[in-house]
Amino acid sequence: MAFPERFSGLPEYAFPRLRTLLDAHPPGGPVTHMSIGEPRHAQPDFVGPVIAENVADFGRYPPNDGTPELQSAIAGWVQRRYRVALDPERQILPLNGTREGLFNAAIALCPEQVRGQKPVVLIPNPFYQVYAVAAAAVGAEPVFVPADRETGFLPDFSALPRDVLGRTAIAYLCSPSNPQGAVADRDYWAGLIALAEKHDFQIFADECYSEIYRDAPPPGALEVAHEGQAGPERVVIFHSLSKRSNLPGLRSGFAAGGPESLARMKRLRAYAGAPLPLPLQRVAERAWADEAHVAASRALYQEKYAIADAVFAGLPGYFPPEGGFFLWLPVEDGEAAALKLWRETGIRVLPGAYLAREAGGVNPGKRFIRVALVATADETRAALSRLRACLYD
Ligand SMILES: Cc1ncc(COP(=O)(O)O)c(C=O)c1O
């Protein structure tokens, strides 16, 4: 029997790799998980009651495109957050979390060819891993673009050769970024949108960390596109309740953008998608309409940014994250550092190389570790102090 080759080149996923690296060794102290980006702040208190009120609806098939009430709640949030008015029915698609949306959007929207050639998908390096598997699924050529210190931890797509840009179908961009915590400002987005207009490619803006930031809310791709009067199909944004509302297990997010793109995504989803169960759509509807729980959670992250800044004060190469909940810490070798940290302190972090690809002989994540600030402030302070003592002092 023949099997496909298109996924054969994928490296093992980051977390099994981490288990292989660490689990043959005993931890050197109380086990502290800082490797997985799973929010651990309290979930909003309405989740249980809303599910209970709507439990009978588990007996019904949910609508593929989401309920009108959920579409409206999301449109209301986009309007308040980004001052962009969307048609709730034609421009919004509720998702089972952004991961499936980021994948399926490529299937729905990546053309078979661009100007008669194999399409290119631009991917920041390091990156959230689904972008690469989406490119592989559609038979596109992934082009990994370094997002390291020299480029402000965001990729400089404009520096790519013209022939690459001329074949580009899609550029993924994550802001605030996982893993570095860099925020694309208005100028960055405007530049990227202008580049996309010039070379006629689409931007998939992964903004699932948009509500976790220091002072000012990060600008969104859709609002900048709207202000600059870019074509309506230029940008598709992806948002999630996983990080914003501490509900990673709800599996709820949305995509929004131009009506043609959204119609194509909906058509694919009608055939092959798994819509969110109705009681969970009701929870999502409630969550997008409420900011109090989001502000409370953000305040906890802001406290942890301050803790991290204090613990790593004076550390050469420390990049204070502008958003999101990861630290991207410089080390000689990420795997060696993660192993030493585990064996000497019991803290689990992810080697940066597991989140990046080697391109041009360089893996831009190799000299980093990713540290998730998901525990309580006290646990975070204690763990980061142990980490600094182990790796840097
Ligand atoms: C950058 C980024 N995008 C997307 C996701 C997917 O989130 P979800 O599918 O829970 O919405 C994650 C989750 O860790 C992420 O870090």
Side-chain angles (χ1 to χ4, degrees):
M1 185 165 59
F3 288 107
E5 284 305 319
R6 57 187 174 277
F7 303 118
S8 313
L10 289 177
E12 202 183 2
Y13 205 61
F15 296 105
R17 274 175 95 180
L18 184 67
R19 288 195 285 276
T20 306
L21 177 72
L22 302 186
D23 288 351
H25 308 273
V31 175
T32 310
H33 293 280
M34 303 185 98
S35 53
I36 302 185
E38 182 179 73
R40 282 191 242 139
H41 298 167
Q43 45 177 266
D45 53 14
F46 50 76
V47 175
V50 172
I51 292 176
E53 276 161 33
N54 293 282
V55 75
D57 283 344
F58 279 121
R60 297 170 55 204
Y61 276 117
N64 272 312
D65 298 352
T67 61
E69 294 84 359
L70 177 54
Q71 293 170 345
S72 293
I74 292 170
W77 182 81
V78 171
Q79 170 77 59
R80 290 190 298 282
R81 176 67 170 82
Y82 296 125
R83 294 167 303 281
V84 177
L86 296 178
D87 177 337
E89 206 187 318
R90 296 171 64 232
Q91 293 190 271
I92 287 169
L93 177 61
L95 302 169
N96 302 55
T98 42
R99 185 168 64 177
E100 65 94 348
L102 289 159
F103 181 77
N104 284 311
I107 297 184
L109 301 177
C110 187
E112 287 79 11
Q113 293 197 323
V114 175
R115 298 182 184 102
Q117 290 175 289
K118 186 174 175 137
V120 160
V121 172
L122 303 181
I123 299 178
N125 198 17
F127 60 101
Y128 184 59
Q129 298 293 296
V130 77
Y131 313 157
V133 80
V138 297
E141 178 187 333
V143 171
F144 299 101
V145 184
D148 47 25
R149 195 176 304 283
E150 289 69 47
T151 59
F153 291 114
L154 291 169
D156 181 6
F157 293 134
S158 69
L160 288 165
R162 283 187 70 84
D163 66 305
V164 171
L165 290 168
R167 284 193 293 130
T168 298
I170 293 165
Y172 283 96
L173 199 280
C174 181
S175 172
S177 67
N178 170 7
Q180 309 96 322
V183 165
D185 62 15
R186 282 202 140 64
D187 285 351
Y188 184 95
W189 278 125
L192 179 55
I193 291 163
L195 192 72
E197 295 261 277
K198 181 170 170 198
H199 296 280
D200 199 21
F201 61 82
Q202 221 173 10
I203 299 167
F204 287 179
D206 180 355
E207 300 181 329
C208 68
Y209 293 96
S210 65
E211 304 317 289
I212 305 176
Y213 52 81
R214 286 186 184 245
D215 314 309
L222 202 60
E223 72 177 315
V224 178
H226 191 74
E227 285 162 11
Q229 299 185 339
E233 307 296 333
R234 193 56 63 201
V235 170
V236 182
I237 60 170
F238 296 85
H239 282 262
S240 176
L241 293 176
S242 298
K243 327 288 177 183
R244 173 186 180 273
S245 299
N246 301 311
L247 291 171
L250 187 69
R251 307 310 306 132
S252 181
F254 72 85
E260 171 74 27
S261 303
L262 269 288
R264 287 172 179 270
M265 290 170 68
K266 286 179 180 189
R267 197 175 317 140
L268 182 69
R269 195 177 178 79
Y271 280 94
L276 196 65
L278 270 169
L280 307 189
Q281 294 202 34
R282 298 290 177 213
V283 174
E285 178 190 327
R286 192 60 194 276
W288 288 112
D290 182 72
E291 286 303 322
H293 73 279
V294 185
S297 182
R298 181 163 52 241
L300 298 177
Y301 286 117
Q302 288 169 341
E303 190 184 348
K304 289 186 274 187
Y305 293 146
I307 290 169
D309 292 350
V311 169
F312 296 108
L315 182 79
Y318 171 65
F319 174 67
E322 298 166 325
F325 52 54
F326 297 110
L327 301 179
W328 186 237
L329 295 177
V331 290
E332 257 311 293
D333 177 284
E335 272 193 327
L339 185 57
K340 175 176 161 71
L341 196 60
W342 171 247
R343 296 179 70 173
E344 295 182 14
T345 70
I347 298 173
R348 284 176 95 85
V349 299
L350 208 55
Y354 294 4
L355 299 166
R357 284 295 168 82
E358 191 170 309
V362 178
N363 181 322
K366 185 172 163 45
R367 292 164 70 88
F368 290 89
I369 51 172
R370 192 191 74 173
V371 182
L373 305 179
V374 289
T376 63
D378 285 346
E379 285 165 342
T380 301
R381 185 181 294 104
L384 293 184
S385 303
R386 272 161 50 224
L387 186 155
R388 174 154 192 170
C390 174
L391 295 184
Y392 299 107
D393 292 340

